[in-house]
Amino acid sequence: MVLGSVLCHPGEPVRHVFFPIDGFISLISPTAGSVGLELGLIGDEGMLGISLLLGVDVARLQGLVQGAGHAWRVEAAPFLRELERGPAMRKELNRYLYVTLLQLAQSAACTRFHVVEARLARWLLMTRDRAHTNQFHITHEFLAFMLGVRRAGITRAAGTLQRRKLIRYHRGNLHITNGRGLEAAACGCYAADKETYTHIMG
């Protein structure tokens, strides 16, 4: 999976499902007159193309590779055949589908009610969990795109987190230096997401 590549477009048929191995994917909602807004993240815990479980074979969100890496890619038709033959796999994916729906709802509430600094802390933690590293390359422009805010808002929020010695950021290279402190700075949505995943997926 190449950084910045689009794996599915809204309105197009779902031809493949993707199971990330060591990369991760953003789910982007198209927004009229804007570049869009990230609603969810998919790492090695999940899959892209989950709508097929509901009998929906048209994508409604954009799947954007946010972390380069590898993924298993399966064509939609054989994937659906395996679902019919494997009730255990369907059961597990149904649980992941439920977690995904809760994540989308949590992201909508987070965007509406929480300040940029807390949302940025949550996003960095979610990215860390899926990248399995405390260091990654990310620009202010891309962060603003992901969170649906102006770049100036990201600059202020990142500056605050840096002054609190929770992160280090220089020329796009970001290092989480205090994970526990960053969790305390994040809105409650991060803890809620983790609790939901642990409770449902085990």
Side-chain angles (χ1 to χ4, degrees):
M1 299 194 299
V2 178
L3 181 66
S5 61
V6 177
L7 302 181
C8 65
H9 294 271
E12 292 188 355
V14 178
R15 296 186 174 89
H16 300 91
V17 297
F18 296 83
F19 294 87
I21 300 170
D22 56 3
F24 50 104
I25 303 164
S26 288
L27 295 175
I28 309 294
S29 174
T31 306
S34 180
V35 290
L37 176 69
E38 183 189 75
L39 296 180
L41 279 171
I42 303 168
D44 59 5
E45 82 292 344
M47 63 170 284
L48 177 67
I50 197 72
S51 65
L52 289 178
L53 271 73
L54 299 174
V56 178
D57 60 0
V58 176
R60 292 304 175 198
L61 299 173
Q62 182 187 72
L64 175 70
V65 176
Q66 181 186 290
H70 301 83
W72 295 107
R73 186 181 75 172
V74 183
E75 291 183 357
F79 170 73
L80 290 172
R81 287 196 297 270
E82 287 301 317
L83 279 183
E84 293 301 320
R85 289 200 289 256
M89 182 173 75
R90 175 177 279 278
K91 180 180 178 181
E92 192 68 17
L93 288 176
N94 280 340
R95 295 167 73 87
Y96 174 68
L97 171 60
Y98 179 69
V99 169
T100 299
L101 294 175
L102 291 180
Q103 184 187 62
L104 295 175
Q106 193 79 53
S107 292
C110 186
T111 300
R112 173 65 179 84
F113 294 110
H114 297 147
V115 298
V116 175
E117 181 183 326
R119 290 172 56 207
L120 175 60
R122 174 196 180 223
W123 187 91
L124 293 174
L125 291 165
M126 291 177 66
T127 300
R128 176 202 64 180
D129 293 346
R130 286 155 180 81
H132 302 293
T133 178
N134 283 314
Q135 300 182 59
F136 34 89
H137 186 83
I138 193 79
T139 65
H140 280 196
E141 289 88 350
F142 194 71
L143 285 170
F145 168 58
M146 290 293 102
L147 296 179
V149 299
R150 295 180 183 276
R151 179 182 171 181
I154 292 296
T155 300
R156 287 193 295 270
T160 299
L161 296 178
Q162 189 157 232
R163 286 191 296 273
R164 294 172 63 183
K165 302 186 185 305
L166 304 179
I167 65 171
R168 279 204 311 268
Y169 184 84
H170 182 67
R171 294 187 176 180
N173 295 311
L174 191 143
H175 181 200
I176 296 175
T177 55
N178 184 344
R180 289 191 176 182
L182 195 62
E183 288 185 26
C187 58
C189 297
Y190 175 70
D193 284 338
K194 284 193 70 174
E195 182 180 356
T196 296
Y197 185 85
T198 301
H199 177 69
I200 302 299
M201 301 299 293

